[in-house]
Amino acid sequence: MRRNLLLASCSALLLWGCSTHLPSSRSQKHQALTAQAKEGVRSYLMAQMDKETPEMLQKRQRNLLSSLPLRVGHLEEAREELWQLWREANEKRMQDNQFTSLCQAPQEVIWDLPEGERMKIALFCKGNKPSRGYALYINLHGGGKDPSASSPWGAAFNDREWAAARSLGQAYKDTGSLYYVPRMADDRKGRWYLAPQRVAFRRAWQLAVLSGEVDPDRIYLMGISEGGYGSHRLALYMPDYFAGIGPMAAAEPLKAAENLRNVAFRLSVGEHDRGFGRNKLAQAWKEELARLAEQNPGDFVHEVHIQPAMGHGINYYPTAPWLEHHSRRNYPKRVSYKYHNMTHDYAAASYSAGVYYLDFRQIRRASDASSISLDVHRSGNTLSVTTHEGNGVSGKLRLYLDEIDYKQPIVVQLNGVEVVRKRIEPSWDALVESLMLWGDPRRLYGSYVEITLP
């Protein structure tokens, strides 16, 4: 009754256009995806990989998946089935997945990235594998932009900074860890937070987790100088992937501090580091994060160190050991996030496709300056969404759900007004789209609701 009840007469080539009907009585067994549905899901996943904003399922695809029964008691089996499909969709990547054999010998590889960029990466292993898996550190070097460089890898100072980052990574006093140390992909751009780099870091996160060697809740991002700016800005853009983030010798202007609500954050700057106002900016972050931590006990885990008598060169060694004591919050009770253009200083706008359990792909923006601040409280089956400082943003916000009572209605309040009250069922399309959006074994959500933003 599992595989041949549905789609028995449908051609695999017409998979997503077939019309099917369930029998009136559902089996008590897990209704696995049919062979044709599996192939369709696998193809969808493969087509969306390495896209900054994966496309949503088309209506006919969603209808087909919705026609397949998924009972509450079988969610874990469905998650396991989809995770296997994710591994199969990643098969080509997995063939060269350096994380699977990294501890046999250090490696240097080159990854092809979007926009024709290529990134050199040094990978190495430190210590023995903990029972829950290695920690992973993405360690970004200093240096930066040289518009006069004759080629993407033409700036000698970035070569020197890359070598320094590798040496420091080996010397940091963390234990049971893997290191991913990239070299700047294009010295003429010289930034770590642009689209090709974001794709590379998500790919590294996903491949590390797929390898089975890395604990998905102990992945960290840190960097020095230009790498500090990159890690700081990415902390505000994609905090949900990391357990902790540690910018050093750099501080971004004070903006979107609420985005750090659920990620451990350690900022270190020298007292006399006046370049680009780094010492003053660090002081502003210190005061703002202290204020937020006092108002929200336990939510803003942070340290801001302004190192006495130090300039741009500081003591880098405390950051990694501090980070390793923190684990990721992948489904927090409260999410605050400023949805805004993260790379306003470049021509291409960059807005997140989604964080934690919030999906932004149906949001519309009036301009590249559009933004909205969202605050979401989750308690059982009730979600309270508050919007602040909305500017040129409209459309639908999707909220993925887990840890709910499916026998009771879901209630969503928007700015104090109830906008949703309904019973929902688990669905394959929710699992598939959350998998594609994040590629995260901790965020395979069984259902969702959508609300229209004011």
Side-chain angles (χ1 to χ4, degrees), residues 103 125-131 133-135 174-178 218:
C103 287
C125 174
K126 295 169 61 177
N128 297 320
K129 181 179 177 180
S131 58
Y134 286 106
D174 53 274
T175 58
S177 54
L178 307 182
R218 296 181 65 237

mmCIF file of all heavy atoms in Angstrom, residues 103 125-131 133-135 174-178 218:
data_model
loop_
_atom_site.group_PDB
_atom_site.id
_atom_site.type_symbol
_atom_site.label_atom_id
_atom_site.label_comp_id
_atom_site.label_asym_id
_atom_site.label_seq_id
_atom_site.Cartn_x
_atom_site.Cartn_y
_atom_site.Cartn_z
ATOM 1 N N CYS A 103 41.153 14.536 8.361
ATOM 2 C CA CYS A 103 42.113 14.299 9.435
ATOM 3 C C CYS A 103 43.223 13.336 9.038
ATOM 4 O O CYS A 103 44.126 13.058 9.827
ATOM 5 C CB CYS A 103 41.391 13.816 10.688
ATOM 6 S SG CYS A 103 40.473 15.152 11.486
ATOM 7 N N CYS A 125 43.029 19.563 10.441
ATOM 8 C CA CYS A 125 42.358 18.930 11.577
ATOM 9 C C CYS A 125 43.212 19.130 12.821
ATOM 10 O O CYS A 125 44.447 19.105 12.750
ATOM 11 C CB CYS A 125 42.188 17.445 11.261
ATOM 12 S SG CYS A 125 41.531 16.445 12.598
ATOM 13 N N LYS A 126 42.558 19.323 13.971
ATOM 14 C CA LYS A 126 43.271 19.487 15.234
ATOM 15 C C LYS A 126 42.657 18.596 16.305
ATOM 16 O O LYS A 126 41.455 18.701 16.593
ATOM 17 C CB LYS A 126 43.205 20.944 15.690
ATOM 18 C CG LYS A 126 43.925 21.920 14.781
ATOM 19 C CD LYS A 126 43.608 23.364 15.127
ATOM 20 C CE LYS A 126 44.033 23.738 16.529
ATOM 21 N NZ LYS A 126 43.769 25.169 16.801
ATOM 22 N N GLY A 127 43.448 17.718 16.876
ATOM 23 C CA GLY A 127 42.984 16.919 18.001
ATOM 24 C C GLY A 127 42.100 15.762 17.595
ATOM 25 O O GLY A 127 41.900 15.460 16.421
ATOM 26 N N ASN A 128 41.583 15.085 18.611
ATOM 27 C CA ASN A 128 40.735 13.914 18.403
ATOM 28 C C ASN A 128 39.278 14.310 18.234
ATOM 29 O O ASN A 128 38.824 15.333 18.757
ATOM 30 C CB ASN A 128 40.872 12.952 19.587
ATOM 31 C CG ASN A 128 42.285 12.421 19.722
ATOM 32 O OD1 ASN A 128 42.933 12.109 18.727
ATOM 33 N ND2 ASN A 128 42.766 12.324 20.959
ATOM 34 N N LYS A 129 38.533 13.473 17.532
ATOM 35 C CA LYS A 129 37.126 13.743 17.258
ATOM 36 C C LYS A 129 36.294 13.565 18.521
ATOM 37 O O LYS A 129 36.285 12.483 19.109
ATOM 38 C CB LYS A 129 36.624 12.803 16.154
ATOM 39 C CG LYS A 129 35.174 13.015 15.777
ATOM 40 C CD LYS A 129 34.774 12.055 14.667
ATOM 41 C CE LYS A 129 33.304 12.181 14.307
ATOM 42 N NZ LYS A 129 32.919 11.235 13.222
ATOM 43 N N PRO A 130 35.578 14.593 18.959
ATOM 44 C CA PRO A 130 34.680 14.444 20.114
ATOM 45 C C PRO A 130 33.525 13.492 19.775
ATOM 46 O O PRO A 130 33.217 13.250 18.604
ATOM 47 C CB PRO A 130 34.170 15.867 20.351
ATOM 48 C CG PRO A 130 35.160 16.758 19.663
ATOM 49 C CD PRO A 130 35.646 15.979 18.484
ATOM 50 N N SER A 131 32.848 12.984 20.783
ATOM 51 C CA SER A 131 31.775 12.019 20.560
ATOM 52 C C SER A 131 30.645 12.595 19.719
ATOM 53 O O SER A 131 30.009 11.882 18.942
ATOM 54 C CB SER A 131 31.212 11.547 21.915
ATOM 55 O OG SER A 131 30.728 12.651 22.668
ATOM 56 N N GLY A 133 31.068 14.875 17.373
ATOM 57 C CA GLY A 133 31.604 15.376 16.115
ATOM 58 C C GLY A 133 32.537 16.544 16.331
ATOM 59 O O GLY A 133 32.526 17.217 17.363
ATOM 60 N N TYR A 134 33.389 16.781 15.328
ATOM 61 C CA TYR A 134 34.314 17.910 15.385
ATOM 62 C C TYR A 134 33.561 19.238 15.396
ATOM 63 O O TYR A 134 32.457 19.356 14.853
ATOM 64 C CB TYR A 134 35.232 17.910 14.162
ATOM 65 C CG TYR A 134 36.319 16.865 14.173
ATOM 66 C CD1 TYR A 134 36.218 15.740 13.360
ATOM 67 C CD2 TYR A 134 37.451 17.002 14.976
ATOM 68 C CE1 TYR A 134 37.217 14.775 13.352
ATOM 69 C CE2 TYR A 134 38.456 16.040 14.969
ATOM 70 C CZ TYR A 134 38.330 14.930 14.164
ATOM 71 O OH TYR A 134 39.321 13.975 14.154
ATOM 72 N N ALA A 135 34.177 20.246 15.983
ATOM 73 C CA ALA A 135 33.772 21.626 15.740
ATOM 74 C C ALA A 135 34.421 22.065 14.425
ATOM 75 O O ALA A 135 35.473 21.552 14.035
ATOM 76 C CB ALA A 135 34.236 22.529 16.876
ATOM 77 N N ASP A 174 41.921 25.750 20.737
ATOM 78 C CA ASP A 174 40.693 24.967 20.731
ATOM 79 C C ASP A 174 41.078 23.504 20.536
ATOM 80 O O ASP A 174 42.210 23.183 20.168
ATOM 81 C CB ASP A 174 39.764 25.434 19.607
ATOM 82 C CG ASP A 174 40.461 25.454 18.262
ATOM 83 O OD1 ASP A 174 41.106 26.469 17.930
ATOM 84 O OD2 ASP A 174 40.396 24.443 17.549
ATOM 85 N N THR A 175 40.140 22.606 20.741
ATOM 86 C CA THR A 175 40.460 21.180 20.633
ATOM 87 C C THR A 175 39.373 20.450 19.860
ATOM 88 O O THR A 175 38.205 20.862 19.856
ATOM 89 C CB THR A 175 40.569 20.551 22.033
ATOM 90 O OG1 THR A 175 39.338 20.754 22.734
ATOM 91 C CG2 THR A 175 41.709 21.173 22.820
ATOM 92 N N GLY A 176 39.757 19.346 19.209
ATOM 93 C CA GLY A 176 38.797 18.527 18.486
ATOM 94 C C GLY A 176 38.082 19.310 17.410
ATOM 95 O O GLY A 176 36.850 19.379 17.403
ATOM 96 N N SER A 177 38.855 19.917 16.480
ATOM 97 C CA SER A 177 38.260 20.844 15.528
ATOM 98 C C SER A 177 38.825 20.659 14.126
ATOM 99 O O SER A 177 39.927 20.139 13.930
ATOM 100 C CB SER A 177 38.490 22.290 15.984
ATOM 101 O OG SER A 177 39.874 22.520 16.212
ATOM 102 N N LEU A 178 38.046 21.107 13.160
ATOM 103 C CA LEU A 178 38.479 21.210 11.776
ATOM 104 C C LEU A 178 38.519 22.687 11.413
ATOM 105 O O LEU A 178 37.702 23.478 11.894
ATOM 106 C CB LEU A 178 37.519 20.478 10.832
ATOM 107 C CG LEU A 178 37.186 19.023 11.144
ATOM 108 C CD1 LEU A 178 36.264 18.451 10.070
ATOM 109 C CD2 LEU A 178 38.449 18.186 11.253
ATOM 110 N N ARG A 218 28.058 23.106 16.317
ATOM 111 C CA ARG A 218 29.326 23.679 16.782
ATOM 112 C C ARG A 218 30.175 24.116 15.579
ATOM 113 O O ARG A 218 31.292 23.676 15.379
ATOM 114 C CB ARG A 218 30.080 22.673 17.658
ATOM 115 C CG ARG A 218 29.327 22.327 18.944
ATOM 116 C CD ARG A 218 30.094 21.359 19.821
ATOM 117 N NE ARG A 218 31.333 21.946 20.305
ATOM 118 C CZ ARG A 218 32.550 21.434 20.106
ATOM 119 N NH1 ARG A 218 32.694 20.324 19.389
ATOM 120 N NH2 ARG A 218 33.612 22.023 20.600
#
